[in-house]
Amino acid sequence: MVNADLIRDLGRPDLYEAAADALVTLGTDGVEQLVREVMDAQSPVDWRPITAVLRRIGDAGFDSLLQGLVSASTEESRKRVGFAFSQLGLAVLDRYTAALAHPVPLVRRQAVRGIEHCGEAGRSAAALLPLLGDPDQEVARQAQDTLIRTGEHVIPLLRRVRERGPGRQRARALTVLAELGGEPALSRADTAAIERLIRIKLPDDRPEPLWACWNYWMAVPGGDQAGIMRTLGLTDPRPVTFALGNDIVDADGHGCDTDEHTGYERVFVTPELAGWTLVLGAWCDPHGQERREDVLRLCTELSARYGQAQAYYYGGQGDGSAWLVAEHGTVIRRYGETGEAEDELLTLGKPLPYERARRTELGLHPDWEAAQESEDDEDEWRWTAHDLAPDIARSLGTTNPLDVTADTPSHGTGVIALTPYGVAHGVPAGAYRI
């Protein structure tokens, strides 16, 4: 029996080394008690220093943690012992690989995590491929996500699965291929199959809310999708469902802004929705420094041709709003409130009627100058304007992508199109809903 004080000393920096050495010397005699401590959510000792001792003990620590995974009775204890089990390191890589065939799904899933945590030496994708077809979806998803993080060197193995099977692995192999390399990583047959599936779905496709954490869109009256794209300089349009178009826009907003991609490479151009065509994607940003002047120019050109054109930004997590309204070749209004110091420099034109009405509702003067506002009044307006972009669109009778539903009148087919950024740099890899 291990002295409980010895385990408690693992939580004291001044006593840790001596306690750890003593527990390692005890070896298998103290393993069970150490694992019980890991599983105890009320333990005053963090699971990490205990795991470090179990790692030094070796196989006995692995076996006892595996048994803890099997026997844990609460979600918290399963989480704690799972973390510990997956952190035992390269010395037990062979044991992790063997555990991929364990009958308990939780053990298989944590074994995948353990292999990933072994780093480069653990990146033998062949051992993980069978789990892409695991009957437990959490295990299959863990294998899928781990293979995605493993890197492009697994692409040939995944292509072989797509060509030869087994069948139960093929669907997730396609997802991993798309995430790692995008369309260039897919075979001609896979690309054709995806395009065929889109064609099959399109006749029954209905509009759905177009929502992302960061929403950027342009709105142009009418349904001249081709003319709008020519004016904007968009190319290579490819038909997509609403789900696919929205998923691409949302993923680009989250996963880009890297050295290779900016999130400006492509946009979703909707069919005509209740009398308006929408263009969605970060490239349509009327506020950010990178795109604001080009979007101003493009909206001006669109409005000269179609009578009106608008651009909006709305941060769905309380990140602010901006709007740009142009009519007949003239900018009527540009305004934004995002908490940035440069917001005031963005302002063009006079307040829109809805802005004035909203200020009146708040008990503020409908006309304002920031230099003459009291600090409280200024703060109240800024917080209100933070969420105002969708309301501005509604007030102008514009189709709002956030309000689109299956009942919204729709004519035509939506497309994903390349912007000049996309032509120059290509598009990011990714797997999306169809």
Side-chain angles (χ1 to χ4, degrees):
M1 177 69 67
V2 175
N3 186 318
D5 290 340
L6 205 54
I7 295 178
R8 297 294 187 271
D9 288 347
L10 292 176
R12 295 183 55 182
D14 56 327
L15 300 176
Y16 169 77
E17 287 192 19
D21 290 343
L23 288 165
V24 170
T25 300
L26 286 171
T28 57
D29 291 340
V31 163
E32 288 187 16
Q33 193 167 340
L34 286 166
V35 172
R36 283 198 299 272
E37 199 74 24
V38 169
M39 297 172 68
D40 183 4
Q42 306 303 316
S43 172
V45 183
D46 187 79
W47 61 270
R48 293 171 184 82
I50 301 176
T51 301
V53 172
L54 291 169
R55 185 187 301 122
R56 290 172 61 187
I57 291 173
D59 287 350
F62 179 96
D63 291 338
S64 192
L65 283 169
L66 188 152
Q67 186 55 45
L69 280 174
V70 173
S71 63
S73 59
T74 68
E75 182 62 29
E76 182 62 25
S77 61
R78 283 190 289 271
K79 183 184 297 184
R80 288 170 62 91
V81 75
F83 282 142
F85 178 79
S86 67
Q87 298 288 334
L88 293 177
L90 190 57
V92 294
L93 177 58
D94 290 344
R95 308 292 298 274
Y96 281 138
T97 303
L100 296 175
H102 196 279
V104 176
L106 180 59
V107 174
R108 299 197 297 276
R109 180 154 55 92
Q110 296 298 342
V112 174
R113 296 182 68 221
I115 290 173
E116 182 176 4
H117 289 151
C118 286
E120 291 291 336
R123 292 183 177 177
S124 174
L128 299 180
L129 288 177
L131 271 68
L132 292 175
D134 197 280
D136 185 277
Q137 291 305 299
E138 289 190 32
V139 174
R141 181 58 183 263
Q142 186 71 55
Q144 170 189 300
D145 292 348
T146 298
L147 284 167
I148 290 169
R149 291 188 287 268
T150 294
E152 294 182 0
H153 70 272
V154 305
I155 286 178
L157 294 174
L158 295 162
R159 283 175 172 161
R160 192 173 303 131
V161 170
R162 289 295 301 166
E163 293 170 2
R164 305 175 188 175
R168 63 182 179 276
Q169 298 174 21
R170 296 184 77 246
R172 288 190 181 273
L174 180 61
T175 298
V176 179
L177 277 169
E179 288 284 3
L180 286 174
E183 189 172 331
L186 306 184
S187 68
R188 196 173 303 176
D190 279 339
T191 300
I194 292 169
E195 291 173 345
R196 184 168 60 250
L197 178 59
I198 292 171
R199 289 196 301 271
I200 291 170
K201 285 180 170 286
L202 280 174
D204 297 320
D205 193 42
R206 298 300 305 152
E208 60 181 56
L210 302 170
W211 172 266
C213 289
W214 299 279
N215 301 276
Y216 312 88
W217 72 94
M218 294 182 186
V220 184
D224 185 14
Q225 187 187 66
I228 292 167
M229 287 193 292
R230 280 195 301 273
T231 302
L232 293 175
L234 304 176
T235 57
D236 194 25
R238 305 179 74 173
V240 292
T241 61
F242 277 91
L244 179 53
N246 196 44
D247 219 28
I248 288 173
V249 168
D250 190 31
D252 284 357
H254 281 86
C256 291
D257 197 19
T258 65
D259 291 340
E260 185 177 1
H261 295 294
T262 61
Y264 303 139
E265 288 82 8
R266 52 190 169 178
V267 290
F268 176 33
V269 187
T270 70
E272 183 179 353
L273 296 173
W276 292 78
T277 298
L278 307 180
V279 184
L280 297 98
W283 185 77
C284 303
D285 182 11
H287 179 271
Q289 186 172 0
E290 175 74 18
R291 293 292 305 147
R292 66 175 63 157
E293 295 310 315
D294 197 35
V295 171
L296 181 73
R297 175 184 63 81
L298 291 169
C299 280
T300 302
E301 293 176 3
L302 286 168
S303 73
R305 179 170 181 176
Y306 297 101
Q308 300 178 64
Q310 300 156 22
Y312 296 90
Y313 162 66
Y314 176 63
Q317 307 296 323
D319 297 314
S321 286
W323 49 92
L324 167 65
V325 179
E327 295 180 0
H328 306 293
T330 300
V331 174
I332 303 300
R333 180 63 162 162
R334 183 173 70 175
Y335 187 82
E337 288 289 358
T338 67
E340 298 291 334
E342 294 184 354
D343 282 343
E344 286 186 31
L345 302 178
L346 188 77
T347 302
L348 295 172
K350 296 181 178 180
L352 297 171
Y354 186 80
E355 294 176 60
R356 293 165 56 85
R358 193 73 184 87
R359 284 181 61 85
T360 300
E361 290 175 7
L362 294 170
L364 305 175
H365 196 281
D367 295 306
W368 74 97
E369 289 289 343
Q372 299 175 7
E373 295 271 306
S374 74
E375 186 173 337
D376 288 344
D377 287 353
E378 185 176 339
D379 286 345
E380 184 170 9
W381 171 246
R382 284 182 169 173
W383 279 112
T384 299
H386 232 66
D387 296 319
L388 218 53
D391 293 329
I392 293 288
R394 295 180 191 113
S395 74
L396 295 170
T398 309
T399 298
N400 180 345
L402 312 181
D403 294 342
V404 170
T405 71
D407 296 325
T408 301
S410 176
H411 302 285
T413 300
V415 298
I416 286 289
L418 294 184
T419 71
Y421 288 78
V423 173
H425 305 293
V427 299
Y432 312 105
R433 296 180 304 141
I434 293 177

mmCIF file of all heavy atoms in Angstrom, residues 183-220:
data_model
loop_
_atom_site.group_PDB
_atom_site.id
_atom_site.type_symbol
_atom_site.label_atom_id
_atom_site.label_comp_id
_atom_site.label_asym_id
_atom_site.label_seq_id
_atom_site.Cartn_x
_atom_site.Cartn_y
_atom_site.Cartn_z
ATOM 1 N N GLU A 183 -9.830 19.647 -53.875
ATOM 2 C CA GLU A 183 -10.150 18.956 -55.124
ATOM 3 C C GLU A 183 -8.929 18.343 -55.810
ATOM 4 O O GLU A 183 -9.022 17.247 -56.378
ATOM 5 C CB GLU A 183 -10.877 19.912 -56.063
ATOM 6 C CG GLU A 183 -11.428 19.234 -57.294
ATOM 7 C CD GLU A 183 -12.314 20.159 -58.105
ATOM 8 O OE1 GLU A 183 -12.942 21.073 -57.531
ATOM 9 O OE2 GLU A 183 -12.372 19.962 -59.331
ATOM 10 N N PRO A 184 -7.749 19.009 -55.802
ATOM 11 C CA PRO A 184 -6.594 18.379 -56.458
ATOM 12 C C PRO A 184 -6.212 17.019 -55.892
ATOM 13 O O PRO A 184 -5.563 16.225 -56.574
ATOM 14 C CB PRO A 184 -5.474 19.403 -56.229
ATOM 15 C CG PRO A 184 -6.177 20.712 -56.099
ATOM 16 C CD PRO A 184 -7.449 20.383 -55.361
ATOM 17 N N ALA A 185 -6.603 16.744 -54.647
ATOM 18 C CA ALA A 185 -6.262 15.456 -54.042
ATOM 19 C C ALA A 185 -7.230 14.357 -54.441
ATOM 20 O O ALA A 185 -6.966 13.171 -54.199
ATOM 21 C CB ALA A 185 -6.241 15.582 -52.515
ATOM 22 N N LEU A 186 -8.357 14.726 -55.055
ATOM 23 C CA LEU A 186 -9.384 13.747 -55.402
ATOM 24 C C LEU A 186 -9.135 13.171 -56.792
ATOM 25 O O LEU A 186 -8.603 13.845 -57.681
ATOM 26 C CB LEU A 186 -10.770 14.389 -55.352
ATOM 27 C CG LEU A 186 -11.159 15.103 -54.060
ATOM 28 C CD1 LEU A 186 -12.589 15.596 -54.165
ATOM 29 C CD2 LEU A 186 -10.992 14.191 -52.855
ATOM 30 N N SER A 187 -9.573 11.951 -56.973
ATOM 31 C CA SER A 187 -9.499 11.347 -58.295
ATOM 32 C C SER A 187 -10.551 11.961 -59.202
ATOM 33 O O SER A 187 -11.509 12.593 -58.738
ATOM 34 C CB SER A 187 -9.727 9.834 -58.204
ATOM 35 O OG SER A 187 -11.078 9.570 -57.830
ATOM 36 N N ARG A 188 -10.377 11.747 -60.500
ATOM 37 C CA ARG A 188 -11.361 12.247 -61.451
ATOM 38 C C ARG A 188 -12.736 11.624 -61.167
ATOM 39 O O ARG A 188 -13.769 12.281 -61.273
ATOM 40 C CB ARG A 188 -10.905 11.927 -62.866
ATOM 41 C CG ARG A 188 -11.621 12.716 -63.946
ATOM 42 C CD ARG A 188 -10.993 12.451 -65.303
ATOM 43 N NE ARG A 188 -9.573 12.778 -65.305
ATOM 44 C CZ ARG A 188 -8.779 12.557 -66.341
ATOM 45 N NH1 ARG A 188 -9.255 12.012 -67.444
ATOM 46 N NH2 ARG A 188 -7.500 12.885 -66.269
ATOM 47 N N ALA A 189 -12.730 10.348 -60.784
ATOM 48 C CA ALA A 189 -13.995 9.663 -60.503
ATOM 49 C C ALA A 189 -14.686 10.266 -59.286
ATOM 50 O O ALA A 189 -15.907 10.441 -59.268
ATOM 51 C CB ALA A 189 -13.737 8.175 -60.291
ATOM 52 N N ASP A 190 -13.922 10.598 -58.241
ATOM 53 C CA ASP A 190 -14.515 11.193 -57.043
ATOM 54 C C ASP A 190 -15.070 12.579 -57.340
ATOM 55 O O ASP A 190 -16.160 12.939 -56.882
ATOM 56 C CB ASP A 190 -13.477 11.279 -55.917
ATOM 57 C CG ASP A 190 -13.317 9.961 -55.182
ATOM 58 O OD1 ASP A 190 -14.237 9.123 -55.258
ATOM 59 O OD2 ASP A 190 -12.269 9.774 -54.534
ATOM 60 N N THR A 191 -14.330 13.373 -58.111
ATOM 61 C CA THR A 191 -14.816 14.705 -58.465
ATOM 62 C C THR A 191 -16.113 14.616 -59.260
ATOM 63 O O THR A 191 -17.080 15.355 -58.995
ATOM 64 C CB THR A 191 -13.755 15.463 -59.279
ATOM 65 O OG1 THR A 191 -12.563 15.582 -58.496
ATOM 66 C CG2 THR A 191 -14.238 16.848 -59.648
ATOM 67 N N ALA A 192 -16.164 13.697 -60.202
ATOM 68 C CA ALA A 192 -17.372 13.520 -61.006
ATOM 69 C C ALA A 192 -18.543 13.062 -60.142
ATOM 70 O O ALA A 192 -19.688 13.496 -60.340
ATOM 71 C CB ALA A 192 -17.115 12.513 -62.123
ATOM 72 N N ALA A 193 -18.281 12.196 -59.168
ATOM 73 C CA ALA A 193 -19.353 11.707 -58.290
ATOM 74 C C ALA A 193 -19.920 12.832 -57.431
ATOM 75 O O ALA A 193 -21.137 12.908 -57.212
ATOM 76 C CB ALA A 193 -18.818 10.585 -57.403
ATOM 77 N N ILE A 194 -19.050 13.722 -56.947
ATOM 78 C CA ILE A 194 -19.523 14.852 -56.143
ATOM 79 C C ILE A 194 -20.367 15.791 -56.991
ATOM 80 O O ILE A 194 -21.433 16.246 -56.569
ATOM 81 C CB ILE A 194 -18.317 15.596 -55.529
ATOM 82 C CG1 ILE A 194 -17.619 14.710 -54.490
ATOM 83 C CG2 ILE A 194 -18.761 16.911 -54.891
ATOM 84 C CD1 ILE A 194 -16.285 15.243 -54.028
ATOM 85 N N GLU A 195 -19.901 16.080 -58.197
ATOM 86 C CA GLU A 195 -20.670 16.956 -59.077
ATOM 87 C C GLU A 195 -22.014 16.342 -59.430
ATOM 88 O O GLU A 195 -23.032 17.036 -59.519
ATOM 89 C CB GLU A 195 -19.860 17.242 -60.342
ATOM 90 C CG GLU A 195 -18.630 18.116 -60.078
ATOM 91 C CD GLU A 195 -17.753 18.262 -61.303
ATOM 92 O OE1 GLU A 195 -17.928 17.474 -62.275
ATOM 93 O OE2 GLU A 195 -16.877 19.160 -61.302
ATOM 94 N N ARG A 196 -22.036 15.029 -59.602
ATOM 95 C CA ARG A 196 -23.298 14.338 -59.896
ATOM 96 C C ARG A 196 -24.254 14.429 -58.705
ATOM 97 O O ARG A 196 -25.456 14.665 -58.876
ATOM 98 C CB ARG A 196 -23.024 12.881 -60.259
ATOM 99 C CG ARG A 196 -24.270 12.095 -60.673
ATOM 100 C CD ARG A 196 -23.896 10.766 -61.305
ATOM 101 N NE ARG A 196 -23.139 9.909 -60.404
ATOM 102 C CZ ARG A 196 -21.850 9.614 -60.548
ATOM 103 N NH1 ARG A 196 -21.155 10.152 -61.547
ATOM 104 N NH2 ARG A 196 -21.240 8.822 -59.695
ATOM 105 N N LEU A 197 -23.725 14.265 -57.499
ATOM 106 C CA LEU A 197 -24.569 14.364 -56.307
ATOM 107 C C LEU A 197 -25.169 15.759 -56.185
ATOM 108 O O LEU A 197 -26.353 15.911 -55.829
ATOM 109 C CB LEU A 197 -23.745 14.029 -55.060
ATOM 110 C CG LEU A 197 -24.472 14.137 -53.709
ATOM 111 C CD1 LEU A 197 -25.682 13.201 -53.679
ATOM 112 C CD2 LEU A 197 -23.518 13.816 -52.563
ATOM 113 N N ILE A 198 -24.374 16.790 -56.476
ATOM 114 C CA ILE A 198 -24.904 18.162 -56.429
ATOM 115 C C ILE A 198 -26.035 18.329 -57.439
ATOM 116 O O ILE A 198 -27.083 18.907 -57.123
ATOM 117 C CB ILE A 198 -23.772 19.177 -56.685
ATOM 118 C CG1 ILE A 198 -22.776 19.171 -55.518
ATOM 119 C CG2 ILE A 198 -24.344 20.589 -56.878
ATOM 120 C CD1 ILE A 198 -21.531 19.979 -55.780
ATOM 121 N N ARG A 199 -25.842 17.806 -58.660
ATOM 122 C CA ARG A 199 -26.892 17.918 -59.682
ATOM 123 C C ARG A 199 -28.169 17.211 -59.242
ATOM 124 O O ARG A 199 -29.282 17.693 -59.492
ATOM 125 C CB ARG A 199 -26.401 17.330 -61.009
ATOM 126 C CG ARG A 199 -25.349 18.170 -61.713
ATOM 127 C CD ARG A 199 -25.208 17.752 -63.167
ATOM 128 N NE ARG A 199 -24.826 16.356 -63.311
ATOM 129 C CZ ARG A 199 -23.570 15.918 -63.345
ATOM 130 N NH1 ARG A 199 -22.569 16.777 -63.244
ATOM 131 N NH2 ARG A 199 -23.308 14.637 -63.493
ATOM 132 N N ILE A 200 -28.025 16.095 -58.569
ATOM 133 C CA ILE A 200 -29.200 15.342 -58.099
ATOM 134 C C ILE A 200 -29.954 16.119 -57.033
ATOM 135 O O ILE A 200 -31.183 16.139 -56.995
ATOM 136 C CB ILE A 200 -28.757 13.961 -57.558
ATOM 137 C CG1 ILE A 200 -28.275 13.065 -58.707
ATOM 138 C CG2 ILE A 200 -29.892 13.287 -56.789
ATOM 139 C CD1 ILE A 200 -27.603 11.787 -58.248
ATOM 140 N N LYS A 201 -29.200 16.805 -56.151
ATOM 141 C CA LYS A 201 -29.828 17.524 -55.041
ATOM 142 C C LYS A 201 -30.450 18.862 -55.457
ATOM 143 O O LYS A 201 -31.411 19.335 -54.836
ATOM 144 C CB LYS A 201 -28.800 17.771 -53.927
ATOM 145 C CG LYS A 201 -28.465 16.537 -53.094
ATOM 146 C CD LYS A 201 -27.444 16.883 -52.028
ATOM 147 C CE LYS A 201 -27.287 15.741 -51.037
ATOM 148 N NZ LYS A 201 -28.435 15.626 -50.116
ATOM 149 N N LEU A 202 -29.897 19.495 -56.496
ATOM 150 C CA LEU A 202 -30.321 20.853 -56.833
ATOM 151 C C LEU A 202 -31.813 21.005 -57.146
ATOM 152 O O LEU A 202 -32.418 22.011 -56.717
ATOM 153 C CB LEU A 202 -29.485 21.387 -57.995
ATOM 154 C CG LEU A 202 -28.102 21.915 -57.613
ATOM 155 C CD1 LEU A 202 -27.301 22.278 -58.853
ATOM 156 C CD2 LEU A 202 -28.223 23.129 -56.686
ATOM 157 N N PRO A 203 -32.455 20.099 -57.871
ATOM 158 C CA PRO A 203 -33.870 20.325 -58.184
ATOM 159 C C PRO A 203 -34.759 20.455 -56.955
ATOM 160 O O PRO A 203 -35.791 21.143 -56.995
ATOM 161 C CB PRO A 203 -34.247 19.086 -59.016
ATOM 162 C CG PRO A 203 -32.961 18.650 -59.637
ATOM 163 C CD PRO A 203 -31.920 18.915 -58.590
ATOM 164 N N ASP A 204 -34.392 19.817 -55.855
ATOM 165 C CA ASP A 204 -35.191 19.882 -54.628
ATOM 166 C C ASP A 204 -34.591 20.804 -53.578
ATOM 167 O O ASP A 204 -35.088 20.874 -52.449
ATOM 168 C CB ASP A 204 -35.348 18.473 -54.030
ATOM 169 C CG ASP A 204 -36.090 17.535 -54.952
ATOM 170 O OD1 ASP A 204 -37.074 17.976 -55.583
ATOM 171 O OD2 ASP A 204 -35.681 16.359 -55.061
ATOM 172 N N ASP A 205 -33.511 21.512 -53.943
ATOM 173 C CA ASP A 205 -32.837 22.367 -52.967
ATOM 174 C C ASP A 205 -33.697 23.588 -52.655
ATOM 175 O O ASP A 205 -34.259 24.218 -53.551
ATOM 176 C CB ASP A 205 -31.484 22.819 -53.522
ATOM 177 C CG ASP A 205 -30.587 23.434 -52.468
ATOM 178 O OD1 ASP A 205 -30.530 22.885 -51.359
ATOM 179 O OD2 ASP A 205 -29.937 24.446 -52.772
ATOM 180 N N ARG A 206 -33.808 23.892 -51.369
ATOM 181 C CA ARG A 206 -34.572 25.054 -50.944
ATOM 182 C C ARG A 206 -33.664 26.021 -50.185
ATOM 183 O O ARG A 206 -32.678 25.616 -49.563
ATOM 184 C CB ARG A 206 -35.734 24.630 -50.021
ATOM 185 C CG ARG A 206 -36.756 23.725 -50.679
ATOM 186 C CD ARG A 206 -37.403 24.393 -51.883
ATOM 187 N NE ARG A 206 -37.995 25.678 -51.544
ATOM 188 C CZ ARG A 206 -38.141 26.681 -52.404
ATOM 189 N NH1 ARG A 206 -37.713 26.574 -53.644
ATOM 190 N NH2 ARG A 206 -38.704 27.821 -52.015
ATOM 191 N N PRO A 207 -33.985 27.325 -50.230
ATOM 192 C CA PRO A 207 -33.168 28.283 -49.481
ATOM 193 C C PRO A 207 -33.129 27.956 -47.996
ATOM 194 O O PRO A 207 -34.070 27.357 -47.452
ATOM 195 C CB PRO A 207 -33.884 29.621 -49.734
ATOM 196 C CG PRO A 207 -34.661 29.417 -50.985
ATOM 197 C CD PRO A 207 -35.077 27.969 -50.975
ATOM 198 N N GLU A 208 -32.048 28.331 -47.364
ATOM 199 C CA GLU A 208 -31.917 28.186 -45.917
ATOM 200 C C GLU A 208 -31.157 29.387 -45.375
ATOM 201 O O GLU A 208 -30.477 30.091 -46.132
ATOM 202 C CB GLU A 208 -31.194 26.892 -45.553
ATOM 203 C CG GLU A 208 -29.791 26.773 -46.100
ATOM 204 C CD GLU A 208 -29.133 25.454 -45.712
ATOM 205 O OE1 GLU A 208 -29.705 24.390 -46.008
ATOM 206 O OE2 GLU A 208 -28.047 25.499 -45.093
ATOM 207 N N PRO A 209 -31.292 29.677 -44.079
ATOM 208 C CA PRO A 209 -30.581 30.836 -43.518
ATOM 209 C C PRO A 209 -29.087 30.751 -43.814
ATOM 210 O O PRO A 209 -28.471 29.692 -43.676
ATOM 211 C CB PRO A 209 -30.866 30.733 -42.021
ATOM 212 C CG PRO A 209 -32.131 29.950 -41.925
ATOM 213 C CD PRO A 209 -32.090 28.964 -43.061
ATOM 214 N N LEU A 210 -28.525 31.859 -44.253
ATOM 215 C CA LEU A 210 -27.112 31.915 -44.611
ATOM 216 C C LEU A 210 -26.394 32.624 -43.472
ATOM 217 O O LEU A 210 -26.372 33.845 -43.371
ATOM 218 C CB LEU A 210 -26.950 32.662 -45.935
ATOM 219 C CG LEU A 210 -27.745 32.035 -47.097
ATOM 220 C CD1 LEU A 210 -27.751 32.938 -48.309
ATOM 221 C CD2 LEU A 210 -27.198 30.656 -47.445
ATOM 222 N N TRP A 211 -25.817 31.824 -42.607
ATOM 223 C CA TRP A 211 -25.324 32.332 -41.328
ATOM 224 C C TRP A 211 -23.897 31.867 -41.099
ATOM 225 O O TRP A 211 -23.545 30.716 -41.351
ATOM 226 C CB TRP A 211 -26.221 31.818 -40.207
ATOM 227 C CG TRP A 211 -25.700 32.121 -38.838
ATOM 228 C CD1 TRP A 211 -24.936 31.303 -38.050
ATOM 229 C CD2 TRP A 211 -25.872 33.331 -38.097
ATOM 230 N NE1 TRP A 211 -24.629 31.928 -36.866
ATOM 231 C CE2 TRP A 211 -25.194 33.178 -36.871
ATOM 232 C CE3 TRP A 211 -26.529 34.524 -38.348
ATOM 233 C CZ2 TRP A 211 -25.160 34.167 -35.909
ATOM 234 C CZ3 TRP A 211 -26.492 35.509 -37.379
ATOM 235 C CH2 TRP A 211 -25.822 35.330 -36.177
ATOM 236 N N ALA A 212 -23.055 32.769 -40.621
ATOM 237 C CA ALA A 212 -21.694 32.436 -40.220
ATOM 238 C C ALA A 212 -21.362 33.262 -38.981
ATOM 239 O O ALA A 212 -22.128 34.139 -38.576
ATOM 240 C CB ALA A 212 -20.704 32.744 -41.349
ATOM 241 N N CYS A 213 -20.232 32.981 -38.366
ATOM 242 C CA CYS A 213 -19.825 33.799 -37.215
ATOM 243 C C CYS A 213 -19.534 35.233 -37.642
ATOM 244 O O CYS A 213 -19.798 36.173 -36.902
ATOM 245 C CB CYS A 213 -18.590 33.190 -36.554
ATOM 246 S SG CYS A 213 -18.943 31.645 -35.673
ATOM 247 N N TRP A 214 -18.965 35.391 -38.846
ATOM 248 C CA TRP A 214 -18.701 36.711 -39.409
ATOM 249 C C TRP A 214 -19.389 36.766 -40.766
ATOM 250 O O TRP A 214 -19.025 36.029 -41.686
ATOM 251 C CB TRP A 214 -17.207 36.951 -39.551
ATOM 252 C CG TRP A 214 -16.520 36.886 -38.227
ATOM 253 C CD1 TRP A 214 -16.431 37.862 -37.283
ATOM 254 C CD2 TRP A 214 -15.833 35.751 -37.678
ATOM 255 N NE1 TRP A 214 -15.740 37.421 -36.189
ATOM 256 C CE2 TRP A 214 -15.353 36.130 -36.405
ATOM 257 C CE3 TRP A 214 -15.569 34.460 -38.138
ATOM 258 C CZ2 TRP A 214 -14.634 35.259 -35.590
ATOM 259 C CZ3 TRP A 214 -14.864 33.589 -37.340
ATOM 260 C CH2 TRP A 214 -14.400 33.997 -36.078
ATOM 261 N N ASN A 215 -20.393 37.616 -40.889
ATOM 262 C CA ASN A 215 -21.236 37.646 -42.082
ATOM 263 C C ASN A 215 -20.916 38.875 -42.926
ATOM 264 O O ASN A 215 -20.987 40.010 -42.439
ATOM 265 C CB ASN A 215 -22.709 37.678 -41.668
ATOM 266 C CG ASN A 215 -23.080 36.469 -40.825
ATOM 267 O OD1 ASN A 215 -23.386 35.404 -41.347
ATOM 268 N ND2 ASN A 215 -23.039 36.622 -39.504
ATOM 269 N N TYR A 216 -20.552 38.634 -44.160
ATOM 270 C CA TYR A 216 -20.274 39.700 -45.116
ATOM 271 C C TYR A 216 -21.107 39.413 -46.367
ATOM 272 O O TYR A 216 -21.070 38.295 -46.881
ATOM 273 C CB TYR A 216 -18.800 39.728 -45.523
ATOM 274 C CG TYR A 216 -17.799 39.653 -44.397
ATOM 275 C CD1 TYR A 216 -17.350 38.425 -43.919
ATOM 276 C CD2 TYR A 216 -17.249 40.807 -43.845
ATOM 277 C CE1 TYR A 216 -16.407 38.346 -42.907
ATOM 278 C CE2 TYR A 216 -16.305 40.740 -42.830
ATOM 279 C CZ TYR A 216 -15.886 39.499 -42.369
ATOM 280 O OH TYR A 216 -14.938 39.422 -41.368
ATOM 281 N N TRP A 217 -21.804 40.417 -46.863
ATOM 282 C CA TRP A 217 -22.551 40.173 -48.085
ATOM 283 C C TRP A 217 -22.810 41.461 -48.849
ATOM 284 O O TRP A 217 -22.831 42.548 -48.275
ATOM 285 C CB TRP A 217 -23.850 39.452 -47.783
ATOM 286 C CG TRP A 217 -24.941 40.238 -47.113
ATOM 287 C CD1 TRP A 217 -25.976 40.903 -47.715
ATOM 288 C CD2 TRP A 217 -25.149 40.432 -45.693
ATOM 289 N NE1 TRP A 217 -26.802 41.491 -46.789
ATOM 290 C CE2 TRP A 217 -26.328 41.218 -45.533
ATOM 291 C CE3 TRP A 217 -24.463 40.021 -44.553
ATOM 292 C CZ2 TRP A 217 -26.813 41.597 -44.284
ATOM 293 C CZ3 TRP A 217 -24.941 40.391 -43.311
ATOM 294 C CH2 TRP A 217 -26.105 41.171 -43.179
ATOM 295 N N MET A 218 -22.987 41.295 -50.162
ATOM 296 C CA MET A 218 -23.490 42.346 -51.026
ATOM 297 C C MET A 218 -24.901 41.959 -51.451
ATOM 298 O O MET A 218 -25.223 40.768 -51.546
ATOM 299 C CB MET A 218 -22.621 42.515 -52.273
ATOM 300 C CG MET A 218 -21.220 43.015 -52.026
ATOM 301 S SD MET A 218 -20.344 43.202 -53.608
ATOM 302 C CE MET A 218 -18.702 43.621 -53.029
ATOM 303 N N ALA A 219 -25.731 42.968 -51.711
ATOM 304 C CA ALA A 219 -27.104 42.732 -52.155
ATOM 305 C C ALA A 219 -27.378 43.612 -53.371
ATOM 306 O O ALA A 219 -27.125 44.826 -53.333
ATOM 307 C CB ALA A 219 -28.097 43.037 -51.037
ATOM 308 N N VAL A 220 -27.885 42.980 -54.441
ATOM 309 C CA VAL A 220 -28.170 43.690 -55.682
ATOM 310 C C VAL A 220 -29.579 43.306 -56.123
ATOM 311 O O VAL A 220 -29.917 42.116 -56.138
ATOM 312 C CB VAL A 220 -27.159 43.316 -56.789
ATOM 313 C CG1 VAL A 220 -27.413 44.138 -58.052
ATOM 314 C CG2 VAL A 220 -25.731 43.499 -56.295
#
